Amino acid sequence: MKVLVTGGAGFIGSGFVRYILRNRPEAGVINFDLLTYAGNLRNVEEVARDPRYRFVRGDIANADDVRGVFEGGGIDAVVNFAAETHVDRSIDDASPFVRTNVLGTQCLLDAAKKHGVAKFVQISTDEVYGSLGPEGAFREDSPIEPSSPYSASKAGSDHLAFSYFKTYGLPVVITRCSNNYGPYQFPEKLIPLMIMNAMDDKPLPVYGDGKNVREWIFTDEHSRAVLTALERGNPGEVYNVGSGYEMTNIDVVREILRILGKPESLIKYVKDRPGHDRRYAIDTSKIRREWNWSAEIGFSDGLAQTIEWYRTHQDWIREIRDASYLNYYERMYTRRDQTLAWSGPE
Ligand code: NAD
Ligand code: DAU
């Protein structure tokens, strides 16, 4: 089976590319990625010379780029990871989110319809369900109530994808996973940002009261679920994916400091994210029942592995932490707290 993986140079997409090539000897992969600030070919270095793998630089929102890759031939299935993914950036400027996540998905759906693919897996997120109170968990039939421009654009792409199933019979499957962590994650997201700051003895900026709750899943586990969705997911259905490891942000940050042997005095509470969802939790009874799927990696083990990866990949960190990253950091964090102004590691 030849699979078009979009966004395969990003955090989760690159993990999936490595995972499918490792676990399915018969698979072929075309990695189609625009290489935005979040895309990095270093993430797929280990498969770059695999004859079953090919990289094509292109934009999912550009119909010519998408036509070109499909006309290259033989695509059996699409897994669409490509997206703008960071909530704080979407609050700053929603335009790239609507362009890539909504228009880009539509462009891919059109090409997939034209070429009659056997499966289209749309990688969505638990954030489309909005926020939970202290009890309960998101089910596949929970209402769609996104809070941020990011999650609203992802909800838009989900609706579009299902409209292609209902209207044209395109075999669309949607997965909605909780917060991922692991190696290769861009350090704008909570866990890698806190690890990198802690390693440099920089302040760890915790939004609001630090009591927002996320459900953390190691990214290889997400890849395993996506591969199952590709092979066994029923067209027209949603599958929630989660680990059961719910944590408050402050507990995650404390655990990172503990593993690194750094003092809690590095923690700095800063201005909250507008529209900040309080809690996410996933009901995974559907994939447990239908796929016999459950998460296998405990949060402490996964976090320790992740920290070790960042500790031993200083060259990857150095390349990522370029002028545009420092500029981003300065812009996002000094407005939350003037004392966080930072011009890079000493
Ligand atoms: P990421 O930001 O690390 O990577 C996104 C990738 O998409 C990058 O390689 C980027 O270059 C590429 N891309 C962006 N715009 C593109 C375009 N117009 N055309 C082609 N490529 C483009 O993202 P991630 O965290 O790996 O997330 C991957 C997917 O998983 C996203 O769809 C996201 O919504 C979803 N998701 C993420 C999480 C999470 O915790 N990170 C959880 C659930 C679902
Ligand atoms: O739930 C799945 C989603 O998880 C994905 O769809 C998104 O692409 C992904 O970015 C992630 O969204 P979150 O907003 O939950 O992730 P983030 O890492 O940005 O933040 C996690 C929590 O940590 C959130 O409550 C905000 C808080 N936070 C984040 C950062 C970056 C901080 O307190 N300080 C920070 O500096």
Side-chain angles (χ1 to χ4, degrees), residues 12 83-88 124-128 138 148 150-151 154 176-180 185-194 197 204-208 210-216 249-250 253 268 270-273 276-278 280 282 328-329 333 336:
I12 305 173
E84 288 291 336
T85 62
H86 191 38
V87 172
D88 293 327
S124 184
T125 164
D126 61 354
E127 294 202 17
V128 299
F138 297 127
S148 70
Y150 160 68
S151 49
K154 292 295 287 186
R176 295 192 180 129
C177 188
S178 61
N179 285 61
N180 285 224
Q185 186 168 28
F186 191 85
E188 62 191 352
K189 309 282 164 54
L190 179 78
I191 288 184
L193 187 139
M194 297 297 170
N197 281 19
L204 309 194
V206 173
Y207 299 168
K211 300 268 175 61
N212 299 65
V213 172
R214 296 294 183 262
E215 184 172 319
W216 292 100
N249 294 336
I250 191 64
V253 169
K268 182 148 188 78
V270 299
K271 194 159 172 277
D272 209 353
R273 170 186 282 174
H276 197 174
D277 287 334
R278 192 63 173 169
Y280 304 145
I282 299 276
Y328 163 83
Y329 194 92
Y333 288 93
R336 290 199 146 91

Side-chain angles (χ1 to χ4, degrees), residues 232-297:
R232 296 176 53 194
N234 293 324
E237 291 194 29
V238 174
Y239 296 89
N240 283 351
V241 181
S243 64
Y245 291 102
E246 275 189 61
M247 304 268 290
T248 61
N249 294 336
I250 191 64
D251 284 346
V252 170
V253 169
R254 288 200 176 111
E255 183 64 6
I256 291 170
L257 289 170
R258 191 191 63 74
I259 294 174
L260 282 168
K262 300 285 182 169
E264 292 199 1
S265 55
L266 288 175
I267 294 171
K268 182 148 188 78
Y269 288 94
V270 299
K271 194 159 172 277
D272 209 353
R273 170 186 282 174
H276 197 174
D277 287 334
R278 192 63 173 169
R279 175 172 166 261
Y280 304 145
I282 299 276
D283 180 332
T284 52
S285 39
K286 181 172 175 177
I287 58 171
R288 276 190 275 124
R289 191 176 59 245
E290 294 191 12
W291 298 344
N292 195 24
W293 191 99
S294 59
E296 288 164 1
I297 300 172

Side-chain angles (χ1 to χ4, degrees), residues 6-13 32-40 58-61 80-85 99-100 123-126 150 154 177-180 185-186 188-189 222:
T6 71
F11 163 51
I12 305 173
F32 183 76
D33 195 299
L34 183 58
L35 299 181
T36 67
Y37 77 92
N40 184 351
D59 180 355
I60 62 165
N80 182 26
F81 289 96
E84 288 291 336
T85 62
R99 183 179 181 280
T100 290
I123 306 301
S124 184
T125 164
D126 61 354
Y150 160 68
K154 292 295 287 186
C177 188
S178 61
N179 285 61
N180 285 224
Q185 186 168 28
F186 191 85
E188 62 191 352
K189 309 282 164 54
H222 188 184

